[in-house]
Amino acid sequence: MSLATVLANTDGALSFRDASGRTRFQNAAHSALFGDNAADFDEACRCGRIFKQADTAAKLTAASKAGQAWHGEGEAVVADGRTVALEIHALPIHDALGRPSGAFLFFHDISGRKELEQQRERESRFARLDSLGQMAGGLAHDFNTYLTVMLGFLDAARTCGDTLPPKIATWLEQAERTGWRARELTQEMLDFARGTEPTKSPLGLHGIVEEAAQVGIQGSNAELKFAVAEDARLIEADSRQIRQVITNLVRNAAQALGSRAGTIEVRLENRLRVSGGSAPPMPADYVCLTVRDNGPGIPADRIGRIFEPFYTTKARGTGLGLAITHNIVKRHGGFVRVKSEIDVGTAFEVFLPALPAATAPMETAVAAA
């Protein structure tokens, strides 16, 4: 990119720094973008007050001091405290002897473009998952038929238990128990593949949260803790499917804890003017359900895959619970955020659109709770 081209881009942040790194000129966009850090840009970079990635600041500073052009991208904390994605160009200036005498720096906010790219990638990924779900559903349907026949014969064989050797009777019991677990797995596959549209009605989650969480923690050593806000707003939802979301998230947390005696916290609260549920994100009011565990956490390179069907890192997991949860929340117009730290724990935040505060729950929804 030529200097003339950079100067012509008046919608971006532009500055000129001398050989010592001091800012000698900046346009209004540059001043607004970096605020107090704009005047002594090098010092702000060295102290880590601007760029999230240390190597971005180092490469930019080194290139401009060496009189070399540089182009890259990075995340920066701007004057109003937001973190934005920036496209960066450094164009060196030389004196008559060819020595570096400064550089023009140009910054263009590409956060909107990045968000759009990420949204398209998410949509593409979930389109692939939908295709996989349809295939899995076909296989599960056939497999379920075979299991029904097999379990029928196993049950018939067990009725002859008085005449069978004890060891054979034990083997039959184990085979039947395994068959029922396989039947549960095929049902999960069918639930994921069918993606039944929710039958929605105004619903309060106060009476649902604890009951569904208790189902999810069965067989675990974990302790359940609840923090349910009394003023949590109603949502328009299918009570059966929302119960499934809560149960799946609590079961996932219990499986993450394994045999350790950990804690699972279930929180329900209002979150007002939240962005993230659409592209581009538009602030809206949500009811937020949080399920947090103090387990081992999820490595950063795996978080992007946890909603894929059949992807699991747990010995007892099927890889379908979170995929089903994501589909249900999506069909309710909501979204899920995941926060995890190794050896600290993981929190799943489910955002479901809140109804206006004056909305009254329907009797059928209250009864279902």
Side-chain angles (χ1 to χ4, degrees), residues 241-255:
Q241 292 189 11
I242 296 301
R243 288 170 188 268
Q244 189 174 11
V245 165
I246 300 168
T247 299
N248 285 349
L249 289 176
V250 172
R251 181 179 293 127
N252 179 75
Q255 290 174 350

Side-chain angles (χ1 to χ4, degrees), residues 253 263-267 290-294 339 345-349:
T263 301
I264 300 174
E265 179 187 6
V266 182
R267 178 179 293 272
T290 303
V291 177
R292 177 181 287 105
D293 66 68
N294 59 351
K339 301 176 181 178
T346 301
F348 284 83
E349 294 180 326

Side-chain angles (χ1 to χ4, degrees), residues 219-232:
S220 168
N221 295 323
E223 176 188 4
L224 270 176
K225 292 185 177 180
F226 296 94
V228 178
E230 291 296 329
D231 65 344

Side-chain angles (χ1 to χ4, degrees), residues 128-271:
R128 295 193 297 269
L129 295 183
D130 285 342
S131 297
L132 179 59
Q134 292 177 16
M135 180 185 70
L139 292 173
H141 183 273
D142 292 342
F143 191 49
N144 197 48
T145 302
Y146 300 144
L147 282 173
T148 300
V149 175
M150 183 188 76
L151 287 169
F153 281 117
L154 285 172
D155 183 62
R158 288 189 63 207
T159 59
C160 304
D162 293 339
T163 60
L164 292 173
K167 183 177 291 187
I168 300 299
T170 300
W171 288 347
L172 286 173
E173 182 181 354
Q174 292 175 344
E176 187 175 18
R177 187 161 54 244
T178 302
W180 280 111
R181 181 65 191 101
R183 183 103 181 255
E184 291 175 7
L185 174 57
T186 59
Q187 187 59 52
E188 289 179 347
M189 293 171 66
L190 286 170
D191 287 343
F192 171 74
R194 288 169 180 163
T196 306
E197 287 298 322
T199 302
K200 299 178 182 179
S201 60
L203 178 69
L205 298 182
H206 302 79
I208 292 179
V209 169
E210 185 168 351
E211 177 189 337
Q214 293 291 352
V215 174
I217 206 173
Q218 288 179 0
S220 168
N221 295 323
E223 176 188 4
L224 270 176
K225 292 185 177 180
F226 296 94
V228 178
E230 291 296 329
D231 65 344
R233 304 231 308 246
L234 302 180
I235 62 174
E236 190 172 31
D238 185 314
S239 62
R240 184 190 68 81
Q241 292 189 11
I242 296 301
R243 288 170 188 268
Q244 189 174 11
V245 165
I246 300 168
T247 299
N248 285 349
L249 289 176
V250 172
R251 181 179 293 127
N252 179 75
Q255 290 174 350
L257 290 169
S259 59
R260 71 176 73 184
T263 301
I264 300 174
E265 179 187 6
V266 182
R267 178 179 293 272
L268 183 70
E269 59 191 327
N270 296 319
R271 295 279 188 91

Side-chain angles (χ1 to χ4, degrees), residues 256-257 260 293-299 340-346:
L257 290 169
R260 71 176 73 184
D293 66 68
N294 59 351
I298 306 171
S340 189
E341 187 175 347
I342 298 300
D343 296 328
V344 175
T346 301

